Amino acid sequence: RRLRMKRKHTCVLLNEKQRELSAITDLKIRQITQWRLERLGDGEFLGGNLLLVRKFSEFIQKPGDKLLIDLILQSLKSLTENFDYKNAVLLDQDGNVRLSFPDQDSLISDHLRPLLPGVIKQHKVVLTDLHRAGVISFVHLDLIVPLIDNSINDTLVLGLLALRIDPQKILYPMIQSWPTPSKSA
């Protein structure tokens, strides 16, 4: 009888722990999904930001305009300092780097380059999977944003904004956090 009670108690504890793990799994899935949707929302906002798009278009036409360069670099700097982005790179339609912040982190990887024509053709913001590229030594994601001036022509992509995301900053800590105290967390 005591053995049966012990087995029953063990089954109850096991079922309770399975429900707890299932609830935590659901929570983590919702957190990651929300984080991803927020990044895509950032991309949609930035791609439709007429001020940024028009300033970039002006810069393409007048690449030596120091005031314009400073204004765009300040916007890129703000993205990296206030959001979940390690760097921001403005690309022309051919995928050439035109401006970046910080300046020393302006490489476009072989992983990213093949995605650019599809982003231009489909006019869709793309968030890549986690990857490590040869020229960029750390694991990261890229948010690629087509820049379109919808007030003039909603089919012409003037350029692209590539935002590199370091998962160590927000994503990994969010995944690793545990909602309850636990030795095995």
Side-chain angles (χ1 to χ4, degrees):
R1 178 173 160 89
R2 191 180 287 182
L3 184 57
R4 271 194 308 238
M5 290 298 288
K6 188 173 184 177
R7 282 184 187 158
K8 185 176 181 182
H9 181 70
T10 301
C11 285
V12 168
L13 283 176
L14 182 60
N15 286 338
E16 182 181 316
K17 289 299 177 186
Q18 285 174 334
R19 283 192 303 275
E20 183 180 306
L21 285 174
S22 180
I24 292 169
T25 301
D26 290 343
L27 171 67
K28 292 298 168 185
I29 289 170
R30 284 193 308 274
Q31 285 178 329
I32 293 167
T33 300
Q34 183 62 37
W35 177 86
R36 183 178 186 282
L37 290 172
E38 287 171 3
R39 300 296 72 74
L40 292 171
D42 288 352
E44 292 294 332
F45 171 77
L46 292 166
N49 183 319
L50 288 178
L51 293 175
L52 179 66
V53 172
R54 287 184 178 162
K55 291 299 174 198
F56 181 65
S57 179
E58 286 177 37
F59 169 71
I60 294 294
Q61 295 167 6
K62 300 183 236 171
D65 186 333
K66 177 80 170 115
L67 185 60
L68 195 54
I69 291 170
D70 289 344
L71 185 67
I72 294 171
L73 284 175
Q74 185 59 41
S75 293
L76 298 181
K77 180 181 179 186
S78 179
L79 283 171
T80 62
E81 290 179 348
N82 297 304
F83 294 93
D84 187 13
Y85 304 111
K86 183 171 178 64
N87 78 339
V89 180
L90 278 172
L91 308 164
D92 62 22
Q93 295 166 322
D94 298 322
N96 300 312
V97 175
R98 299 304 297 263
L99 280 176
S100 65
F101 186 86
D103 190 39
Q104 70 273 12
D105 198 5
S106 64
L107 301 170
I108 297 301
S109 70
D110 292 337
H111 178 79
L112 187 60
R113 196 163 294 283
L115 300 175
L116 301 180
V119 172
I120 290 171
K121 183 179 179 183
Q122 296 175 3
H123 301 165
K124 293 274 186 189
V125 174
V126 171
L127 180 62
T128 67
D129 290 331
L130 290 164
H131 64 278
R132 181 185 313 232
V135 293
I136 298 129
S137 61
F138 64 95
V139 174
H140 63 280
L141 302 96
D142 292 301
L143 181 68
I144 308 155
V145 180
L147 300 174
I148 303 167
D149 187 342
N150 289 321
S151 69
I152 296 172
N153 180 347
D154 65 354
T155 61
L156 178 63
V157 175
L158 302 171
L160 300 159
L161 176 62
L163 298 164
R164 188 162 299 134
I165 301 167
D166 181 356
Q168 302 261 2
K169 189 173 178 182
I170 302 280
L171 183 60
Y172 289 170
M174 178 181 58
I175 292 169
Q176 292 169 347
S177 67
W178 208 254
T180 59
S182 167
K183 291 180 182 180
S184 61

